[in-house]
Amino acid sequence: MFQSLSFAVIAILPFISASPAPLGPAAALPEQPLITPPPVAWTPTKTTNNVKRGIVSDIESDLSSLLASASSDIAAVFSDFPAGADVQSSLGLNDSQVAALPTQVLNLPGYGNYTNQGWNLRFRAMVYKQPDISQSKLNDLANGFLIGTSVQSLPPAESSQAVNLTAEIYVIQQKNQNITFSLAPAPIAGVDGGAVTPGGGSQSIDYPIPTTEEGDVDGFVQINNAGLTPGNATSQIQVLNEYVQGTDTGNASAYLVPDKGMTVISDIDDILRITQIYDPSNGLLNTFAKPFVPWMNMPEIYLNWSTSLTDLHFHYLTTTPEQATRPYMSFIYANYPLGSFDTRPLNFSNTAATLSIRKYLLERIFQTFPQRKFILIADTSNSDVMRDYPLMATEFPNQVQCIFLRNTTATDPLDQFPYDTSGFQSLNQQSYMFFLVPDDLKNLDVANGHCYNASIKQNLTFGYQGLPFGLSTGSGNGSSNSTGSGSKVAPGGSMGLWGWAGLALLGSLVFGAL
């Protein structure tokens, strides 16, 4: 149910815990899918020693600004999505035409925590309207997200996917809207690893704060605990279905996570699926047009964790813009254990914010579950991951169980992007591992904090690695292993972007020093 409010009401802060309106019994609900389908069907080395003294340190000094600039360029490719007012203006729609469109909701699967007041559920959703856009206009808009190709040149299935995702991006967010949603026990638990259907939980909730300028709501609400097991009296995750009233587009699942246990916080791109985000043309093509494909046998690894580690909670955290969430959820739920979701909200819309959102979302879930242990998994191509994952181990030393990072530089010749391992210098080697293939993660006793496979060579310099010509910066090796995943720096026959950039930088430093 949606209801316009006076503009003054939105002065209330959007991120607070608030008590909901009095809860009434929920009406009987027909069985619906947990993920609302989109409007169009988804068819689918060693360091060189003979350089002049001071050159490596000079490179390190200049590299920070060079990396920041390049990281911003790559992040901008995925952050410069249009806002609702821009969409309305670009399509030439007036307010009356927009008002006549049906209201829709993107509802992200959330998590709930237990406190002295009972269960609190994080509810996050985006309210929007989907404008009618002609096929030719959608084709033109979709081409703006592709490099070196066009929807007209793609196979029909890929063209359809590109147009469909573009349509989901070009929506008009609705501010100042009230949301009412219903909860009901999930008939099927929805996750592996011990999740259960609760004995109760049916209710209707008026979310107490209207949508923001970006059409978002994101906050915790207290829910009626009747029929729900307290979070300090169970180790099992209880799963509820959520249905936003007044639309058939706001379905999701909610995961009531106990006080204690273990949570996997997993990135998605280039760790669970092949994206190649470090190569913008391929990254865009693999996101907008190509079918989502798992990276090697990672589904097997997650399935094994979900069945061997008791009552494991999976939380998928990606900095993909909120509008592009549905294909990610559909991919995850078709290939990996179900779980809660976090994506980049619309108010984190510029490049600097894009590079800071991961830390914000990580700290939020760590602070929500202070007694739980966390397994963090991602890849080395994300500069924010390389900064924020070891930082979590420093800020929350008793909560980070394991950190696993796929070394994309060593496993994909297209990734010639340097990565900074300095944050890991103070960490115990048993708590983290850089790995090459999913099988490297097999047979680890992660339940007891043994996260390092000694057969996987690390060779960390605790500085910038993956530089051209085998160069690296830092103070040395953090384990007894001297070769391997950390030492392979520039695979492939072509130097690529960073090879040439490094050559130019190194040349200028050498000749400038002579």
Side-chain angles (χ1 to χ4, degrees):
M1 176 175 64
F2 306 95
Q3 179 182 9
S4 295
L5 299 180
S6 65
F7 183 79
V9 180
I10 63 173
I12 303 173
L13 294 177
F15 298 109
I16 62 172
S17 295
S19 298
L23 306 178
L29 296 169
E31 185 61 28
Q32 301 180 47
L34 296 183
I35 304 174
T36 303
V40 179
W42 286 92
T43 306
T45 305
K46 291 183 180 178
T47 301
T48 302
N49 293 320
N50 60 349
V51 290
K52 194 167 185 176
R53 177 180 168 178
I55 289 178
V56 170
S57 60
D58 288 341
I59 289 177
E60 184 172 25
S61 175
D62 289 350
L63 192 57
S64 294
S65 59
L66 187 61
L67 279 174
S69 175
S71 296
S72 297
D73 289 343
I74 290 178
V77 172
F78 290 90
S79 65
D80 194 20
F81 281 5
D86 296 330
V87 173
Q88 181 176 343
S89 175
S90 67
L91 297 176
L93 299 176
N94 59 44
D95 291 344
S96 297
Q97 290 172 310
V98 173
L101 296 171
T103 301
Q104 302 186 50
V105 177
L106 171 66
N107 186 2
L108 297 186
Y111 53 78
N113 71 322
Y114 191 78
T115 69
N116 292 335
Q117 287 74 43
W119 282 106
N120 301 272
L121 178 62
R122 182 183 173 199
F123 179 73
R124 179 176 169 188
M126 178 184 73
V127 179
Y128 65 95
K129 296 198 174 191
Q130 180 81 56
D132 295 323
I133 306 176
S134 68
Q135 186 65 52
S136 60
K137 180 66 172 179
L138 272 176
N139 289 346
D140 291 341
L141 293 172
N143 286 337
F145 295 113
L146 301 174
I147 298 176
T149 189
S150 66
V151 294
Q152 293 85 352
S153 303
L154 295 172
E158 296 180 9
S159 176
S160 176
Q161 177 168 318
V163 168
N164 183 75
L165 183 52
T166 300
E168 293 194 7
I169 291 169
Y170 277 84
V171 297
I172 303 173
Q173 291 83 17
Q174 299 296 294
K175 66 180 181 180
N176 201 26
Q177 298 292 308
N178 253 5
I179 300 178
T180 296
F181 65 96
S182 300
L183 298 176
I188 300 175
V191 293
D192 301 290
V196 297
T197 300
S202 294
Q203 56 197 278
S204 179
I205 297 175
D206 296 321
Y207 190 80
I209 300 173
T211 56
T212 65
E213 290 286 327
E214 297 84 11
D216 279 337
V217 294
D218 185 359
F220 286 86
V221 293
Q222 293 182 11
I223 64 175
N224 189 321
N225 286 240
L228 301 175
T229 304
N232 57 5
T234 183
S235 63
Q236 295 179 309
I237 297 168
Q238 300 169 82
V239 187
L240 298 169
N241 284 347
E242 290 180 352
Y243 308 96
V244 175
Q245 296 181 13
T247 176
D248 60 359
T249 60
N251 305 335
S253 298
Y255 302 88
L256 303 183
V257 181
D259 295 356
K260 298 180 180 179
M262 198 172 299
T263 292
V264 174
I265 300 181
S266 179
D267 193 14
I268 297 177
D269 289 310
D270 294 307
I271 185 67
L272 302 187
R273 64 171 288 248
I274 299 172
T275 310
Q276 298 178 310
I277 192 69
Y278 35 79
D279 182 71
S281 59
N282 275 335
L284 287 168
L285 191 65
N286 288 330
T287 297
F288 277 84
K290 298 286 187 182
F292 283 18
V293 176
W295 176 57
M296 300 183 70
N297 61 320
M298 278 300 283
E300 176 190 349
I301 301 299
Y302 275 47
L303 176 61
N304 179 63
W305 284 351
S306 71
T307 55
S308 62
L309 298 175
T310 305
D311 305 322
L312 193 62
H313 166 224
F314 287 87
H315 182 68
Y316 300 96
L317 193 163
T318 173
T319 56
T320 297
E322 189 173 61
Q323 304 100 306
T325 300
R326 280 199 179 103
Y328 277 80
M329 290 193 295
S330 297
F331 166 75
I332 289 297
Y333 293 168
N335 295 278
Y336 292 94
L338 304 190
S340 48
F341 243 84
D342 256 324
T343 58
R344 177 163 56 82
L346 294 176
N347 60 337
F348 283 78
S349 56
N350 59 45
T351 300
T354 299
L355 296 176
S356 68
I357 181 58
R358 193 183 304 272
K359 182 173 183 288
Y360 167 79
L361 295 173
L362 284 169
E363 289 180 335
R364 190 171 195 184
I365 191 170
F366 270 73
Q367 292 165 357
T368 301
F369 299 102
Q371 299 182 72
R372 291 188 71 84
K373 303 285 188 178
F374 293 89
I375 298 171
L376 308 179
I377 185 163
D379 69 279
T380 58
S381 70
N382 291 296
S383 60
D384 55 344
V385 162
M386 299 302 293
R387 177 193 65 230
D388 297 339
Y389 273 18
L391 184 60
M392 291 301 104
T394 301
E395 288 188 2
F396 305 92
N398 297 319
Q399 288 185 258
V400 175
Q401 186 85 344
C402 300
I403 299 176
F404 296 122
L405 292 166
R406 174 200 171 193
N407 190 334
T408 48
T409 300
T411 55
D412 189 338
L414 287 177
D415 182 13
Q416 300 189 21
F417 208 87
Y419 54 97
D420 182 8
T421 59
S422 60
F424 292 84
Q425 186 162 12
S426 64
L427 303 187
N428 184 333
Q429 175 67 79
Q430 287 296 324
S431 69
Y432 70 89
M433 181 174 69
F434 290 74
F435 68 99
L436 301 175
V437 295
D439 283 352
D440 295 342
L441 300 174
K442 289 183 174 180
N443 302 316
L444 293 173
D445 185 13
V446 297
N448 291 305
H450 303 302
C451 314
Y452 172 48
N453 181 342
S455 68
I456 310 303
K457 310 299 182 182
Q458 301 294 285
N459 193 37
L460 301 184
T461 66
F462 302 128
Y464 285 109
Q465 301 187 229
L467 293 168
F469 316 116
L471 292 176
S472 62
T473 69
S475 60
N477 183 22
S479 73
S480 59
N481 301 300
S482 60
T483 61
S485 68
S487 64
K488 192 171 184 181
V489 294
S494 169
M495 287 192 294
L497 168 66
W498 284 104
W500 292 110
L503 178 61
L505 177 60
L506 183 60
S508 67
L509 290 171
V510 170
F511 288 107
L514 292 175

